[in-house]
Amino acid sequence: MAQNKSVLFKKEYAKELLKIAVGDLKTAKALIESPDPGRPENILYMIQQSVEKAVKVVLISKQIPFPLVHDLGILIALLSTADYPPGGFDLTALNPYSTIRRYETGEIPLDNEEIQGAYLAAELVIAWSSKY
């Protein structure tokens, strides 16, 4: 399937995808709390994945087709401004963790404050998507 082709999922899939998004965020939390979590980029990857899936939950619930991409900006732009997730387009700061930062550590080290902030933002997005 071409990446730029939009797909319309059955509305019932939204509930299942929300459970997966919640599970991704739980995985991020377990890594945060682990005494040896490995690369901090992996924590941000799981946070990005939970946010991405939560946005897709809303798109599915509203029956809006979307391309199979990881770019939060593309996905958020498909929503009306009244339906934007908490944090809106600021969430696109997580995009590198679903792509390039999965394969390299990056030149800028991550600190605990950044990780905690991203986690809290993801919690808000999960709560937002749960209302649909």
Side-chain angles (χ1 to χ4, degrees):
M1 186 176 307
Q3 239 187 346
N4 59 357
K5 181 181 177 189
S6 290
V7 178
L8 180 62
F9 289 86
K10 291 182 181 180
K11 199 168 186 172
E12 303 82 53
Y13 180 56
K15 284 185 181 182
E16 181 180 345
L17 190 58
L18 180 58
K19 288 179 187 175
I20 296 169
V22 169
D24 286 350
L25 195 57
K26 286 181 180 180
T27 298
K29 182 71 167 175
L31 288 171
I32 290 168
E33 293 174 348
S34 171
D36 186 18
R39 296 175 58 237
E41 288 84 2
N42 292 340
I43 299 169
L44 273 292
Y45 171 69
M46 294 310 301
I47 290 171
Q48 187 282 339
Q49 285 292 285
S50 69
V51 169
E52 177 185 326
K53 290 174 180 113
V55 172
K56 289 177 177 178
V57 163
V58 175
L59 290 167
I60 292 167
S61 295
K62 293 184 155 294
Q63 287 293 274
I64 299 171
F66 56 88
L68 301 178
V69 296
H70 298 293
D71 188 317
L72 293 169
I74 290 171
L75 298 171
I76 292 167
L78 294 171
L79 295 165
S80 69
T81 54
D83 291 324
Y84 282 178
F89 285 98
D90 288 346
L91 295 168
T92 61
L94 294 169
N95 281 348
Y97 299 100
S98 69
T99 56
I100 193 72
R101 297 278 312 251
R102 286 173 55 197
Y103 302 100
E104 58 185 45
T105 56
E107 296 178 17
I108 302 170
L110 292 166
D111 64 29
N112 193 40
E113 187 176 316
E114 290 174 282
I115 293 169
Q116 289 296 329
Y119 181 84
L120 294 173
E123 281 186 320
L124 292 174
V125 176
I126 292 286
W128 161 79
S129 68
S130 298
K131 296 175 185 173
Y132 287 89

